Every structure is written in C-alpha cells, then in structure tokens.
Amino acid sequence: MPFSMSSERLFTMFVSVIAMLTALPFHEYAHAWAANKMGDPTAKYQGRLTLNPFRHLDLFGSICMVLFGFGWAKPVPINPYNFKNPKTGMALSALAGPMSNVVYAFAAMILYKILWYPAMMVDQSTFWGFFLYYVVQILWIIVSLNVGLAVFNLLPVPPLDGSRILNIILPERIYFKVMQYERVIMFAIIALLFVGVLDRPLIYLRGLLVNGLDFLTGFVDIIARAIMGV
C-alpha cells in the first residue's frame, strides 16, 4: 500500500537522517584517515579517526543536510606542519572528504540500479513489490545526499574543502588574506542558501555529478537489461 503525501515526506526525512548519520561521518573520517596517512595524527589523537557519527556531527550543518541536501560537520583538526609538503597535504586531506562521498554515492547507485529493474517489474501491491520500491527510494536518497555533500564542500570558498584545494594554485598572501574572512564568508554562504541564490548553480553541479555517476555505472544497466530482456 503506497504512503500518503505526508507519510512520504516523513519517510524521506527519516531516511535523510539515517543517510546523514553515515555520509557526514564517512566524509570526516576520510579527512582524518588521509591526514594520518600523510603524517599528521592530530585528528587520530583527538578521537576523530572514527565512523562514530557523534564525534563528527554539527547540529546546524546536519539540519541543513537533511533540509537542503548539503551541509557540514565539525571540522577535522589538521596540523599542516606535520606534512612533508603542507600545501599538498592540506589539499589532499581536504579532497579526501568529498571524494569519499562520491565513492559512497557510486556504490549506492550500483545497488540502486541492480534493484531498480526488478522493482519496476514486480507488482507494487505485493509485499516484495512494496519492499523493493522503498529500498530503491532509500538508495536514491543516499545517492542524492552524498552527491549534495560532495558538491557543496568542493565550492572553492572558506571554510569548505574546496578552499583548501584552491590553496595549491593561489599565492599564499592572497590565500591567507581570504582566510581571515572565513567566518564572515561562511555566514554569507548560509544566508545565500536560505534565500535560494545558490539553488540553481548547486542543482546544476549536482546534476553533472549524478550524470557522471550514471555513466560510470552504465555497465549495470547493460547487464540488467541483458538478463531481464528489456
């Protein structure tokens, strides 16, 4: 039996919370793991080299993640002076977070496609049809949240991960001058999110990434169609 519209919203919100409890910790764990591998154990010593969500979650960032599909967690502490090359180390440890969400979305999309074909061919009024339909919805929400998290954090503005990556090409005097306004820029980004100014560019970027993942997982479509004769 299909859910009512209000039940659908509650279902989506519930699944978004569950997905967030894996997506955000996975993102922050990747930062800590990459930094530790490159010689900076700061995050490890502060208990951040873990998938425990309560070590990573930021309340406001988590709410934005559920409501808007992009958000943030508590920053992982990193000491760039522990890296052999501080600028490269900071950039790679920053990149690890969004890339972990891309990998997560890639894996979820594979499962989504594997189950999508039988879900569309089974009568949704039956138990298995009902079950498959909502598992597919859950997997798509996981894909969407991870794509949103990756895209948002790759924006080249402080304090997002993209600004650390941008540090590789910017002269240090310019980079550190911009970083002086990190908090002001973050509040400006939040304000732009709430008024919807960033909706169109973020939706466009998310669409590009989803299309890329769809292309990379195209082998699942080919195999599924061959097996099911569709």
Side-chain angles (χ1 to χ4, degrees), residues 20-22 24-29 32 42-59 62 72-77:
M20 178 197 67
L21 290 174
T22 57
L24 285 172
F26 194 43
H27 178 105
E28 298 305 323
Y29 173 83
T42 305
K44 179 181 178 180
Y45 292 153
Q46 294 192 21
R48 299 296 299 277
L49 191 59
T50 177
L51 289 172
N52 180 355
F54 299 105
R55 289 283 190 174
H56 300 295
L57 295 183
D58 173 90
L59 179 60
S62 300
W72 57 91
K74 296 175 185 175
V76 166

Side-chain angles (χ1 to χ4, degrees), residues 126-142:
T126 65
F127 170 79
W128 284 112
F130 178 87
F131 176 77
L132 280 174
Y133 175 80
Y134 283 103
V135 169
V136 165
Q137 301 308 308
I138 289 169
L139 288 168
W140 183 251
I141 291 170
I142 290 173

Side-chain angles (χ1 to χ4, degrees), residues 25 28 30 35 44 53 77-78 97 108-109 120 129 140 166 177:
E28 298 305 323
K44 179 181 178 180
I78 293 176
M109 184 171 279
M120 294 302 105
W140 183 251
L166 188 65
K177 191 164 187 175

Side-chain angles (χ1 to χ4, degrees), residues 94-229:
L95 182 61
M99 287 307 300
S100 72
N101 294 115
V102 173
V103 171
Y104 193 173
F106 176 76
M109 184 171 279
I110 289 176
L111 290 174
Y112 167 82
K113 288 189 173 186
I114 289 172
L115 295 177
W116 185 86
Y117 288 95
M120 294 302 105
M121 298 184 73
V122 175
D123 185 353
Q124 292 178 12
S125 65
T126 65
F127 170 79
W128 284 112
F130 178 87
F131 176 77
L132 280 174
Y133 175 80
Y134 283 103
V135 169
V136 165
Q137 301 308 308
I138 289 169
L139 288 168
W140 183 251
I141 291 170
I142 290 173
V143 170
S144 298
L145 278 172
N146 276 277
V147 165
L149 186 60
V151 166
F152 180 66
N153 278 280
L154 282 172
L155 294 178
V157 293
L160 303 177
D161 297 327
S163 67
R164 269 64 178 178
I165 300 167
L166 188 65
N167 184 31
I168 287 184
I169 59 174
L170 279 181
E172 286 194 7
R173 61 183 182 81
I174 296 177
Y175 175 76
F176 286 113
K177 191 164 187 175
V178 172
M179 291 301 290
Q180 290 176 0
Y181 302 97
E182 180 176 13
R183 183 165 294 184
V184 174
I185 294 172
M186 189 61 206
F187 281 123
I189 290 291
I190 292 171
L192 292 174
L193 286 173
F194 274 113
V195 298
V197 172
L198 293 179
D199 286 357
R200 184 169 293 181
L202 286 172
I203 289 171
Y204 175 75
L205 292 172
R206 289 168 68 182
L208 286 180
L209 182 50
V210 168
N211 289 339
L213 291 172
D214 183 41
F215 174 77
L216 292 174
T217 57
F219 67 93
V220 180
D221 298 307
I222 295 171
I223 296 171
R225 286 169 184 162
I227 291 173
M228 304 188 75

